[in-house]
């Protein structure tokens, strides 16, 4: 063993865990749980101790042997070791960290509190501006409603993800905003690489701040609607539009309680409960119950592939999982009257409406038909592909 050989490690985070020490590469989502003696050895290497010297230190301290070549290969597989061509990286101060600290400073919380208080005072004083499900139909033209609600969601979603990003930057995480899509809709996404390397209590704000952002965005929309009402004495199209967007913001807020999805609350729960893949473990647990009831035990999922903690928590988390489905179903039922009212207006406009309303309804139905037609086509295509793969597999076995 080369006595003078030293290795360069990327900046690492060390977090005490029930199962050992969680070590991660700073600014990434690469983490692994090490036993306490293994974590101590990593610390010595990070401090600059040579490989041979670290090996001797380990023997003297723990009176045990360690295969240093195998240990270093593990660190290399985890990308903890800098490559030969790669310069050693240092935990630099993340750009925009000052903005994150300012956003969640005492002054920032004071401003947020004032905005929310003002909004709820307006809601209490003026019931006319309270957003409800009927607020979605802010215009008599279907296409105006469709485009207004679709495009109007973008700033609110951006604000939600921006709050996540700022909370991450506040901790020194190189969190970023990105643009993605769900089907053919534009959405914003945020990433917080390295968040799992922080203590649990420090992860609470970054995970939940998006929901707080929704409350803040809702309050701002209510204030705009209230200001227009106070100035004009009536609910103008702009005020009605703000009320419609405020209601859909509430829908996004309650979306976080759909426990069968990977929402902000879900990530908080797996953090506090020490789980890894709770959602999939819960689905498998429920499947096994169903297969046991119908007598198809051969289809049961092997729960040993999940951590013991995931398996343990999944037994009672299944009630939350079912509650998420019930909440989603309840929300759909709550919105059905709005859908019926929209469709009634559309068909009345087609048969008895003026030219503008007639063509508005025709265009709306055409666009909606094309959208669902594409979804149905993709569904049939996916089923056909699965059938072909299954038939090919049967032919090969035959």
């Amino acid at each position: 063993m080369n006595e003078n050989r030293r290795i360069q490690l990327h900046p690492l985070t060390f977090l005490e865990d029930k199962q050992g020490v969680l070590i991660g590469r700073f600014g990434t989502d690469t983490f692994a749980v090490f036993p306490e003696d293994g974590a101590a050895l990593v610390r010595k290497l990070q401090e600059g101790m040579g490989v041979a010297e670290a090996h001797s230190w380990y023997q003297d301290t723990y009176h045990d042997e360690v295969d240093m070549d195998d240990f270093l290969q593990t660190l290399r597989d985890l990308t903890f070791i800098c490559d030969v061509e790669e310069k050693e990286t240092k935990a630099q101060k993340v750009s925009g960290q000052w903005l994150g600290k300012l956003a969640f400073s005492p002054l920032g919380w004071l401003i947020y509190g004032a905005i929310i208080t003002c909004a709820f005072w307006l809601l209490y004083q003026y019931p006319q501006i309270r957003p409800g499900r009927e607020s979605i139909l802010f215009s008599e033209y279907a296409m105006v409603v469709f485009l207004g609600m679709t495009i109007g969601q973008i700033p609110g979603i951006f604000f939600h993800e921006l709050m996540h990003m700022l909370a991450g930057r506040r901790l020194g995480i190189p969190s970023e905003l990105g643009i993605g899509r769900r089907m053919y809709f534009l959405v914003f996404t945020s990433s917080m690489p390295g968040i799992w390397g922080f203590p649990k209590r420090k992860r609470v704000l970054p995970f939940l701040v998006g929901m707080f952002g929704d409350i803040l965005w809702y309050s701002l929309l209510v204030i705009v609607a209230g200001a227009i009402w106070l100035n004009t004495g009536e609910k103008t199209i702009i005020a009605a539009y703000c009320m419609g967007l405020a209601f859909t913001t509430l829908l996004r807020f309650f979306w976080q309680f759909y426990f069968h999805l990977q929402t902000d609350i879900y990530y908080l729960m797996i953090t506090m409960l020490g789980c890894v893949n709770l959602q999939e473990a819960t689905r498998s647990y429920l499947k096994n119950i169903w297969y046991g009831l119908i007598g198809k035990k051969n289809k049961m999922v092997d729960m040993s592939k999940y951590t013991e903690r995931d398996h343990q928590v999944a037994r009672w988390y299944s009630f939350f999982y079912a509650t998420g489905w019930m909440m989603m179903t309840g929300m759909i039922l709550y919105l059905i009257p709005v859908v019926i009212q929209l469709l009634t207006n559309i068909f009345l406009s087609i048969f008895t409406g003026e030219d503008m309303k007639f063509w508005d309804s025709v265009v709306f139905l055409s666009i909606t038909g094309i959208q669902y037609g594409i979804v149905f086509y993709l569904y049939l295509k996916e089923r056909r592909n699965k059938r072909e793969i299954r038939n090919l597999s049967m032919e090969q076995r035959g």
Side-chain angles (χ1 to χ4, degrees):
M1 185 176 294
N2 187 349
E3 295 289 342
N4 297 321
R5 182 162 63 116
R6 282 180 168 79
I7 62 171
Q8 290 185 339
L9 295 176
H10 289 285
L12 303 175
T13 60
F14 295 79
L15 184 63
E16 298 294 331
D17 189 80
K18 292 181 179 179
Q19 299 176 348
V21 180
L22 185 68
I23 303 179
R25 178 176 165 183
F26 181 80
T28 72
D29 285 325
T30 304
F31 293 91
V33 177
F34 284 71
E36 291 186 4
D37 57 337
L41 182 56
V42 174
R43 287 184 186 275
K44 291 297 180 182
L45 294 172
Q46 189 180 45
E47 292 170 1
M49 185 177 286
V51 174
E53 186 182 357
H55 179 258
S56 299
W57 172 87
Y58 183 89
Q59 287 180 316
D60 295 339
T61 305
Y62 296 99
H63 308 290
D64 196 5
E65 271 293 333
V66 59
D67 187 336
M68 288 301 294
D69 290 333
D70 184 62
F71 188 78
L72 293 177
Q73 185 58 48
T74 299
L75 298 182
R76 193 169 289 108
D77 292 341
L78 291 169
T79 70
F80 288 176
I81 298 178
C82 297
D83 294 331
V84 178
E85 305 84 7
E86 190 177 12
K87 294 182 179 179
E88 182 181 6
T89 58
K90 295 183 179 180
Q92 299 177 351
K93 193 173 182 180
V94 176
S95 61
Q97 187 174 6
W98 67 271
L99 186 58
K101 290 183 177 180
L102 179 62
F104 301 104
S105 64
L107 176 61
W109 288 113
L110 184 64
I111 294 173
Y112 303 151
I115 291 173
I116 294 172
T117 301
C118 179
F120 279 86
W121 180 82
L122 287 170
L123 291 174
Y124 176 76
Q125 290 291 329
Y126 303 98
Q128 302 91 334
I129 62 170
R130 293 175 187 172
R133 60 186 175 187
E134 68 283 350
S135 302
I136 295 176
L137 304 178
F138 67 94
S139 172
E140 57 184 343
Y141 294 100
M143 279 304 299
V144 174
V145 171
F146 174 74
L147 293 176
M149 289 293 103
T150 301
I151 298 174
Q153 293 299 308
I154 295 176
I157 296 172
F158 174 81
F159 188 73
H160 176 106
E161 300 300 336
L162 178 66
M163 295 294 278
H164 282 305
M165 188 198 76
L166 290 175
R169 292 291 177 98
R170 170 178 168 268
L171 294 177
I173 299 172
S175 51
E176 295 180 348
L177 275 177
I179 299 178
R181 66 179 181 89
R182 291 175 184 169
M183 296 185 69
Y184 33 78
F185 293 109
L186 178 71
V187 296
F188 292 95
T189 59
S190 60
S191 63
M192 294 185 287
I195 184 66
W196 301 102
F198 286 85
K200 291 180 179 180
R201 60 184 179 81
K202 289 191 176 182
R203 296 180 227 164
V204 174
L205 179 64
F207 283 144
L208 291 187
V209 74
M211 295 178 66
F212 178 76
D214 290 336
I215 296 174
L216 194 58
W217 189 254
Y218 172 87
S219 300
L220 290 170
L221 290 168
V222 167
I223 290 174
V224 173
I228 294 173
W229 176 270
L230 290 174
N231 285 330
T232 63
E234 59 180 350
K235 186 169 65 176
T236 65
I237 185 67
I238 300 299
Y241 182 45
C242 288
M243 291 169 60
L245 291 177
F247 178 75
T248 54
T249 301
L250 280 182
L251 295 183
R252 288 203 311 274
F253 178 83
F254 285 110
W255 176 279
Q256 304 297 335
F257 291 91
Y258 297 165
F259 298 104
H260 59 292
L261 302 175
Q262 291 185 350
T263 62
D264 295 346
I265 292 180
Y266 168 77
Y267 284 111
L268 176 68
M269 292 186 75
I270 64 173
T271 292
M272 304 311 293
L273 296 172
C275 297
V276 178
N277 194 359
L278 179 59
Q279 192 179 78
E280 187 177 335
T282 303
R283 279 199 295 265
S284 297
Y285 175 74
L286 292 173
K287 284 180 182 179
N288 287 349
I289 292 177
W290 171 248
Y291 289 141
L293 290 174
I294 64 176
K296 293 186 177 181
K297 294 186 177 181
N298 59 307
K299 289 189 175 182
M300 284 188 170
V301 181
D302 182 11
M303 296 297 292
S304 64
K305 66 180 182 179
Y306 303 110
T307 65
E308 183 180 348
R309 183 60 176 167
D310 280 351
H311 189 187
Q312 189 180 50
V313 175
R315 296 170 183 171
W316 60 262
Y317 186 77
S318 57
F319 294 100
F320 283 90
Y321 191 89
T323 301
W325 276 108
M326 288 189 289
M327 289 186 64
M328 177 179 283
T329 303
M331 188 61 70
I332 292 173
L333 293 175
Y334 177 71
L335 293 175
I336 282 179
V338 177
V339 177
I340 293 175
Q341 182 62 51
L342 177 63
L343 293 176
T344 301
N345 294 343
I346 289 171
F347 286 108
L348 285 177
S349 298
I350 289 177
F351 294 109
T352 62
E354 59 191 34
D355 286 346
M356 281 292 293
K357 288 186 177 181
F358 171 81
W359 288 112
D360 170 76
S361 299
V362 169
V363 172
F364 177 82
L365 288 176
S366 300
I367 292 177
T368 304
I370 291 172
Q371 290 175 342
Y372 285 102
I374 292 173
V375 172
F376 186 63
Y377 167 76
L378 293 175
Y379 169 75
L380 291 178
K381 185 178 180 181
E382 183 179 353
R383 288 199 60 180
R384 186 170 61 250
N385 290 340
K386 287 182 179 179
R387 192 184 305 114
E388 290 175 355
I389 292 173
R390 185 169 58 249
N391 293 338
L392 180 61
S393 177
M394 292 176 64
E395 289 175 3
Q396 290 176 346
R397 287 200 301 269

